[in-house]
Amino acid sequence: MQQNVSHTPKTAAHWRVEDIDFSAIDRTVVEGNEDLFFLLMSASFIETGSDTYAANLAEHYAAWPEIADWLSTQWEAEELQHGRALRAYVEAVWPAFPWQQAYDSFFAEYSQLCTMEELYPDQRLELVARCVVETSTTAYYHTLRDLSDEPVLSQMLGHIRNDEVNHFKHFLKFFKEMQDESPVGRARIAKALYGRLKELRDSDTEIALRHVWAHKGPYFSATTVLLEERAQHIYELISSRLPADLAVRMLLKPMLLPQRVEGLIRTPISKLATRVLAHG
C-alpha cells in the first residue's frame, strides 16, 4: 500500500475554552437535572482520557506521517479541549463533586481498554472504525445539546459536536485516499462498521457512569433507583432523541455505495443504528 495520503490543513479560527464565560452559566436551569449530571460528567471523563488512545492511533499510522501528524497536533488537542471544557462546566455547576478522584478511578479501568490490540491491524479498517466512533460522538453531542436549555452549555456542546463532524470528515477522507491506493472489499468494510458499532454497546459511557455514580456523594442522593436503572433510563433517553438519520448517513459513507443503493438501505440501517448507538 502506498503511503502518500495528503494532509487536510487545520481550520484557522477554532474555538477555545478560554473564550467560554463559565461565570455566565444559569445554574438554576441545569443543576437539578440528574440526566445531564450523569451525561456531562461521563463525557468529561471520556474526553479527558483521550490522549492515551490518540497516542496509540498516532503510532498505528506512523508510516503515514500526514495522518499521524493530524492525530497528534489536531485530533488529540481538540479531544482534550473537549475534556477541559466539560470539566470546567460540570465543576462550575456541581462544585462538590470530587472530579479528580472520580476521574482517577475511572481512568484506572478505562486505560486498560486503550491498547494497540484494540485497533484493527489493517489501517484502512481502523479508519472505518474511527468513522463509527465519530458518528457516535456526533450523535451523542447533538442529543445532549437538544436536551439542554442552558445557553452556555448549548454553545459549548455545539462547538464539540462540530469538532466531531470535522473529525469524521478527516477519517473518511484518509480512508478514501487509502482506498484509492489499495482497495478493501465492501464486505470487509461492512464487517468493520458493524463490529465497531456492536462494541459501542460495551462502551466507555458504561464505565464512566459507574464511576460517576460511585462518587456522586450528596448529589441526587434522595433517589431510590439503582445504578442499572439509572443507566437504562439514560440509554432510553438518548435513544428517544438520537438523530438516527444523521447517524446513518454518516455510517454509510465509508461503504462508498451508489446513491440509489444507499437510499434503499438507509431505513433498515437507521433502525439498527438507533438501537445499537443508544444501547437499547
Side-chain angles (χ1 to χ4, degrees):
M1 186 188 304
Q2 297 183 33
Q3 303 167 9
N4 58 346
V5 180
S6 63
H7 179 57
T8 301
K10 183 177 179 179
T11 304
H14 190 262
W15 69 281
R16 303 184 310 153
V17 177
E18 294 76 15
D19 296 330
I20 298 176
D21 184 5
F22 293 100
S23 68
I25 295 171
D26 185 351
R27 288 182 55 182
T28 61
V29 174
V30 70
E31 65 184 347
N33 190 318
E34 188 171 358
D35 294 324
L36 284 177
F37 171 79
F38 281 101
L39 288 165
L40 294 171
M41 286 291 181
S42 298
S44 73
F45 288 178
I46 295 164
E47 298 283 10
T48 300
S50 60
D51 54 341
T52 302
Y53 207 97
N56 291 343
L57 279 175
E59 180 181 342
H60 199 48
Y61 290 96
W64 290 267
E66 296 84 357
I67 299 178
D69 178 67
W70 176 78
L71 287 165
S72 299
T73 62
Q74 184 173 343
W75 186 74
E76 178 180 354
E78 292 180 1
E79 293 293 308
L80 290 176
Q81 176 165 266
H82 298 168
R84 291 197 306 275
L86 286 161
R87 177 178 181 175
Y89 189 91
V90 297
E91 289 189 324
V93 177
W94 298 285
F97 183 84
W99 191 93
Q100 189 64 53
Q101 180 184 356
Y103 171 75
D104 289 343
S105 69
F106 157 78
F107 189 73
E109 179 177 357
Y110 172 71
S111 61
Q112 302 303 309
L113 304 179
C114 300
T115 65
M116 293 295 290
E117 289 71 29
E118 295 298 313
L119 305 179
Y120 281 91
D122 188 322
Q123 285 86 352
R124 297 167 300 181
L125 295 181
E126 181 57 34
L127 289 173
V128 170
R130 294 314 309 173
C131 286
V132 175
V133 175
E134 299 298 342
T135 296
S136 176
T137 54
T138 296
Y140 184 80
Y141 286 115
H142 181 102
T143 303
L144 282 187
R145 189 178 63 172
D146 189 48
L147 290 169
S148 167
D149 293 324
E150 200 286 304
V152 176
L153 180 58
S154 296
Q155 177 196 42
M156 183 183 72
L157 292 174
H159 288 321
I160 296 175
R161 176 197 177 277
N162 291 342
D163 283 350
E164 302 295 359
V165 171
N166 188 49
H167 297 167
F168 171 88
K169 290 178 179 178
H170 274 75
F171 284 119
L172 180 63
K173 175 182 181 295
F174 293 142
F175 169 69
K176 285 180 175 179
E177 291 175 346
M178 280 193 176
Q179 187 75 340
D180 286 342
E181 296 292 341
S182 178
V184 60
R186 283 201 178 106
R188 293 182 65 199
I189 295 171
K191 185 177 180 180
L193 283 169
Y194 184 64
R196 186 54 57 93
L197 196 58
K198 284 200 305 181
E199 288 173 10
L200 293 177
R201 292 181 65 86
D202 302 318
S203 71
D204 312 338
T205 302
E206 185 176 333
I207 298 172
L209 281 173
R210 280 194 274 109
H211 292 278
V212 175
W213 180 274
H215 293 84
K216 65 186 179 71
Y219 290 115
F220 308 105
S221 57
T223 182
T224 59
V225 302
L226 302 174
L227 169 60
E228 293 75 14
E229 294 171 324
R230 170 54 51 193
Q232 185 59 37
H233 166 75
I234 286 173
Y235 297 148
E236 290 173 356
L237 176 66
I238 295 294
S239 176
S240 69
R241 302 292 190 99
L242 189 76
D245 203 45
L246 168 68
V248 169
R249 286 199 303 271
M250 294 173 71
L251 282 172
L252 290 177
K253 291 296 183 185
M255 290 294 292
L256 307 178
L257 295 167
Q259 188 172 357
R260 182 182 64 84
V261 176
E262 183 175 319
L264 287 173
I265 67 174
R266 186 176 297 165
T267 297
I269 296 294
S270 180
K271 293 178 181 178
L272 171 66
T274 300
R275 186 168 65 252
V276 176
L277 281 173
H279 299 238

